[in-house]
Amino acid sequence: MSVSVPPPSALADTLLARLPVVFGAAADPERAVTMRRYMKDVAPFLGLAQPVRKERTREVLAGTPRPDAHDLTAVALRCWELPEREYAYFAIDYLRRYRTRLTSAFLPVARHLITSRAWWDTVDLLAVHTVGGLVAADPALTADMDRWIGSDDIWLARTALLHQLRRKETTDTGRLFAYCLRRAGDQEFFLRKAIGWSLREYARTDPDAVRAFVADHRDVLAPLSVREALRGPAR
């Protein structure tokens, strides 16, 4: 079965029946226009502010059981089929909430989500909280990250750069620095920014290592990456 085809799931049926009703009732068309513009027209929006979306999410999930890996896959893929962006946000929150229920088999699904209607708002959260968790749980998946960092798809490469963002002392520093160098000459803003962000975040754990890396490779790192890496810890 294609990774883009949702598997059968009674729980997904329940959630996807509730979701458009509950979220749709809180839609704010005026805010939706502003949100769509801010996100460069990547998708239409319902116009839900984050606190409203979080509140409505609790309503959607009320009384439902914990999902298994098939349920999570079905919910994520079915949410991705809906046009408004808030449904993708719901799926990402759901995956994050139950990330320990995912298995390595979810990585191809995550790849599909990352590369579909891609923009930083969904990609970054999937990179850090979903892909990062999968790779941490199964180090064999680092081979996939080694492939993604060389991808022509900037969002897969950005995911590879960011997937260790919350690893702290368990960061594979050799891989982190190698990935940064691998894409250091790239002209793409989102990759240059991700290099700086990944280095800045690791500087919270080992600032000397990051400063030394930047000093040694300042001639190949983009100025944007250098500024981001050295401007202080990410908030």
Side-chain angles (χ1 to χ4, degrees), residues 21-190:
V21 176
V22 174
F23 273 30
D28 182 338
E30 196 169 312
R31 178 183 286 271
V33 172
T34 302
M35 293 172 74
R36 183 169 186 164
R37 185 182 303 120
Y38 178 70
M39 287 298 171
K40 306 299 185 184
D41 205 30
V42 68
F45 281 80
L46 294 168
L48 304 187
Q50 184 171 331
V52 174
R53 178 166 54 83
K54 297 291 187 182
E55 179 183 344
R56 294 297 170 129
T57 293
R58 288 192 290 271
E59 185 177 340
V60 172
L61 296 179
T64 59
R66 294 179 69 194
D68 61 20
H70 279 87
D71 297 323
L72 289 165
T73 297
V75 169
L77 290 174
R78 288 177 64 175
C79 284
W80 239 254
E81 293 173 347
L82 299 175
E84 289 81 12
R85 200 65 162 180
E86 286 90 346
Y87 299 123
Y89 298 161
F90 172 88
I92 290 169
D93 289 343
Y94 198 55
L95 292 173
R96 183 176 180 181
R97 180 173 182 172
Y98 293 108
R99 58 189 175 275
T100 60
R101 312 284 282 182
L102 293 171
T103 70
S104 302
F106 190 78
L107 188 65
V109 180
R111 188 186 193 281
H112 169 74
L113 301 179
I114 287 163
T115 56
S116 302
R117 296 194 299 164
W119 198 238
W120 64 264
D121 59 329
T122 55
V123 170
D124 292 359
L125 292 171
L126 288 167
V128 176
H129 300 295
T130 300
V131 174
L134 292 173
V135 177
D138 182 0
L141 297 182
T142 56
D144 294 271
M145 298 301 99
D146 290 345
R147 287 189 289 272
W148 289 15
I149 191 61
S151 176
D152 291 337
D153 187 305
I154 65 165
W155 302 111
L156 289 178
R158 183 172 168 101
T159 297
L161 285 164
L162 297 180
H163 83 279
Q164 294 196 81
L165 209 64
R166 299 291 185 260
R167 293 282 294 275
K168 299 182 180 179
E169 292 83 2
T170 63
T171 298
D172 181 341
T173 53
R175 207 167 236 105
L176 169 64
F177 293 151
Y179 284 6
C180 290
L181 288 177
R182 175 77 178 270
R183 303 306 294 241
D186 206 294
Q187 299 298 308
E188 172 56 53
F189 167 83
F190 285 106

